[in-house]
């Protein structure tokens, strides 16, 4: 039998049939829905008189538009309110499992899924959101889709897909103290670029990846899309099974035993073929800070901003020049000289309990710098918020002058009321530093939770390793 | 879906790489529950000098005279030309809807982000990958003569410049067939409903935990 990668195994197990040209009809085991990319899909079903194929595979939650200040029910923006109400109406009409605002299980769709055990190894999992790659941390084939595909999955439980290529990113060695999964994935993106993984499913492996908690693995897979890869995958192991055991939607009893046995076969065979392989030494990774308007414009915290003229390639140099202008920065400036106006700790990349603990550990005994107007912490779900409060993390943040908010996507993409004003500069634990991403004219620097907390207390970027 | 067979049209040159979907259609417009009406907000942050919100009268907003969409010489262009990694970032299909609502039927670039690429085909927008040389040729031609026409022939898989230079592009046969015939993917898939049921029956034996109902 030919050796297979983990991606090959997941793919083969879900092919219903092939078209003559190799396009596959791929079966989907889990479909997560949120309010922004689903209304037109439900409307499409209704217009065509079609009913969902298997509603028991779908779980829905509002997250993008949800206010992070209580009372969350009162969405001031009528357009956003209509979208959230439309989701509630659609799930009720079609009978889909739903966690509304006010339910402790509500939160960012990519936090809620794993937390509820809706994400399991060996699954195909899709959602109308590019950060669906997050769920690959469990050894699932998980990728983001557009609204037409959301409708396609609702109607047929399948998607028409071409098989992607296999890419392996092997991170060996041990991450230094104060260096996190976020720094690992930012360093990878810095190395391969935002199109480096295009057309590929990336498997993350190696000693440093194995050593990550499920939270850390989710952070890494979450940003596979920022490297251009629709899917990131990590082979499931005991860490995965321990995380999932007893979660509400995970199998129980004899089914659990049977499932774990099957999941233990989900790994890349020793001699499996990868179209691309990349080897990285974890010990070489320093805390990372982005300086531009693409996640690939990233540097270690002790570096200086490059001169676009030194970048060679004209398209790259033009992009860097444009980025520096937008960001209000100049070539040669040290990263630690960059002052910030706001800090945002949250998003599907970094809003889980471990992220909040890492940020709180830095904040404890310190204060938000006077020149930092706002430092906000937005837990990924109501359950994470409860757990953080039980551990006293909310008190640490509040005493340091940070705001402790209700769960949602918040200032990662600023669809709700949380946003940057033009020219404001933010240390953000989210995933995209695109122009206007956090608010028109806003300037985003992507960092880890500990680095965002450190910048909020110092007023500018600092090497968190000097603080711990 | 509207069929795509051939198109002869002007080209709008957008000389940028990594054009992300946040730039194509900013987040405030994603709150709509409709598929139409995104055209006036295509490239909103680059196109207007003042911030916009859904419901604004966009004809009253200040245009950015330096942005190519506002350059009258390119008015009526149906082909958008860009650099690498076009459509990166979020999966929002609204980006494709904004491009088609504005009037684009084709985007040409050296490379595209995967999700945007796939979304395009579902909406009759043809994304064409051409090599750097070909892309640079069309950029140069368009800059020299904004009125220059480019012909796209999907059946032949060719892009023909005004100067008569012909560039061949790849497209997978199934996607080509769907575009040429304006076919709806869902209808096609449902013809294989029996195969899907057979797969489910087999899968239920192998992985019964995937068929235990969500509560």
């Amino acid at each position: 039998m030919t050796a297979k990668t983990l991606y090959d195994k997941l793919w083969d197990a879900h092919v219903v049939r092939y078209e003559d040209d190799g396009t596959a009809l791929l079966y989907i085991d889990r479909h997560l829905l949120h309010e922004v990319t689903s209304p037109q899909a439900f409307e499409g079903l209704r217009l065509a008189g079609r009913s969902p194929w298997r509603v028991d595979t779908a779980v829905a939650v509002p997250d993008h538009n949800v206010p992070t200040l209580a009372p969350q029910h009162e969405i001031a923006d009528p357009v956003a309110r209509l979208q959230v109400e439309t989701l509630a109406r659609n799930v009720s009409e079609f009978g889909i499992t739903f966690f509304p605002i006010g339910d402790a299980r509500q939160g960012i769709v990519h936090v809620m899924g794993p937390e509820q055990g809706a994400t399991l190894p060996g699954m195909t999992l899709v959602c109308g959101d590019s950060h669906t790659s997050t769920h690959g941390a469990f050894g699932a084939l998980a990728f983001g889709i557009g609204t037409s595909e959301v409708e396609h999955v609702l109607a047929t439980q399948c998607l028409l897909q071409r098989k992607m290529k296999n890419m392996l990113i092997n991170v060996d060695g041990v991450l230094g103290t104060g260096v996190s999964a976020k720094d690992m994935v930012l360093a990878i993106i810095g190395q391969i670029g935002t199109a480096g993984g295009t057309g590929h499913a990336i498997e993350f492996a190696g000693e440093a990846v194995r050593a990550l908690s499920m939270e850390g693995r989710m952070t890494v897979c979450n940003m596979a899309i920022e490297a251009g890869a629709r899917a990131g995958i990590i082979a499931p192991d005991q860490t995965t099974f321990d995380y999932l055991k007893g979660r509400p939607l995970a199998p129980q009893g004899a089914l659990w035993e049977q499932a774990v046995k099957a999941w233990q076969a989900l790994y890349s065979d020793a001699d499996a073929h990868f179209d691309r392989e990349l080897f990285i030494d974890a010990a070489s990774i320093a805390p990372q800070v982005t300086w531009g308007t693409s996640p690939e414009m990233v540097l270690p915290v002790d570096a200086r901003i490059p001169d676009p003229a030194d970048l060679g390639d004209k398209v790259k140099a033009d992009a860097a020049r444009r980025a520096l202008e937008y960001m209000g920065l100049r070539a040669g400036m040290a990263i630690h000289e960059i002052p910030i106006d706001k800090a945002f700790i949250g998003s599907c990349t970094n809003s889980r309990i471990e992220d909040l603990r890492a940020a709180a550990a830095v904040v404890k005994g310190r204060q938000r710098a006077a020149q930092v107007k706002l430092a906000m912490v937005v837990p990924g779900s109501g359950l994470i918020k409860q757990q953080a409060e039980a551990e006293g993390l909310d008190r640490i943040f509040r005493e340091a002058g940070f705001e402790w908010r209700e769960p949602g996507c918040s200032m990662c993409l600023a669809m709700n009321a949380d946003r940057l004003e033009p020219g404001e500069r933010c240390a953000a634990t989210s995933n995209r530093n695109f122009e206007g991403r956090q608010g028109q004219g806003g300037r985003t620097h992507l960092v880890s939770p500990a680095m965002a907390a450190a910048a909020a207390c110092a007023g500018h970027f600092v090497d968190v390793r000097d603080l711990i | 879906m509207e069929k795509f067979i051939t198109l002869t049209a002007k080209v709008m040159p957008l000389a940028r790489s990594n054009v992300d979907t946040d730039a194509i259609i900013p987040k405030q417009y994603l709150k709509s529950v409709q598929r139409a009406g995104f055209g006036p907000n295509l490239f909103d942050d680059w196109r207007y000098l003042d911030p916009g919100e859904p419901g604004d009268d966009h004809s009253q907003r200040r245009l950015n005279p330096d942005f190519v969409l506002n350059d009258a010489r390119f008015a009526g262009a149906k082909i958008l030309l860009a650099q690498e990694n076009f459509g990166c970032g979020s999966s929002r299909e609204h980006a494709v809807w904004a491009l088609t609502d504005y009037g684009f039927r084709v985007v040409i670039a050296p490379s595209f982000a995967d999700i945007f690429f796939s979304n395009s085909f579902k909406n009759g927008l043809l994304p064409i990958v051409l090599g750097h040389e070909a892309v640079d040729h069309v950029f140069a031609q368009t800059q020299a003569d904004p009125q220059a026409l480019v012909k796209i022939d999907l059946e032949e898989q060719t892009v023909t410049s005004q100067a008569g230079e012909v560039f061949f592009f790849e497209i997978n046969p199934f996607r080509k067939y769907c575009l040429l015939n304006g076919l709806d993917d869902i209808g096609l898939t449902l013809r294989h409903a029996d195969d899907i049921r057979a797969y489910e029956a087999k899968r239920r034996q192998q992985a019964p935990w995937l068929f235990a109902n969500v509560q």
Side-chain angles (χ1 to χ4, degrees), chain A residues 183-249:
Chain A
D183 301 303
M184 183 194 287
V185 71
L186 283 172
I188 290 169
I189 295 164
Q191 190 162 337
I192 69 172
T194 45
T198 302
H200 293 76
I202 300 180
E203 179 173 349
F204 298 97
E207 183 189 357
V209 172
R210 293 268 131 248
L212 293 174
S213 64
M214 287 317 298
E215 284 84 353
R217 294 179 191 188
M218 284 189 257
T219 300
V220 171
C221 288
N222 172 276
M223 288 192 74
I225 186 68
E226 262 57 67
R230 236 175 147 170
I233 320 173
I234 295 174
D237 58 12
Q238 198 56 45
T239 304
T240 320
F241 310 144
D242 291 346
Y243 176 97
L244 285 172
K245 191 162 190 188
R247 303 234 167 220
L249 301 180

Side-chain angles (χ1 to χ4, degrees), chain A residues 122-143:
Chain A
M123 272 184 165
T124 42
L125 181 153
V126 295
C127 173
D129 190 284
S130 60
H131 289 110
T132 307
S133 58
T134 309
H135 308 264
F138 290 81
L141 174 55
F143 53 91

Side-chain angles (χ1 to χ4, degrees), chain A residues 101-188:
Chain A
I101 294 174
D103 186 314
R105 296 168 292 184
Q106 182 270 332
I108 305 172
V109 65
H110 308 306
V111 173
M112 173 281 291
E115 193 170 74
Q116 291 304 312
T119 306
L120 297 173
M123 272 184 165
T124 42
L125 181 153
V126 295
C127 173
D129 190 284
S130 60
H131 289 110
T132 307
S133 58
T134 309
H135 308 264
F138 290 81
L141 174 55
F143 53 91
I145 56 178
T147 298
S148 294
E149 290 180 315
V150 169
E151 185 181 340
H152 197 283
V153 175
L154 284 169
T156 71
Q157 207 56 42
C158 292
L159 277 177
L160 288 160
Q161 291 289 303
R162 301 280 295 188
K163 195 174 177 195
M164 296 182 270
K165 289 182 183 164
N166 280 290
M167 181 167 177
L168 175 69
I169 297 183
N170 205 79
V171 191
D172 272 321
V174 181
L175 284 177
T177 308
V179 183
S180 69
K182 180 65 164 289
D183 301 303
M184 183 194 287
V185 71
L186 283 172
I188 290 169

Side-chain angles (χ1 to χ4, degrees), chain A residues 374-385:
Chain A
L374 171 73
M376 62 190 293
V377 186
V378 184
S381 71
L383 291 171
I384 291 173
K385 181 166 185 268

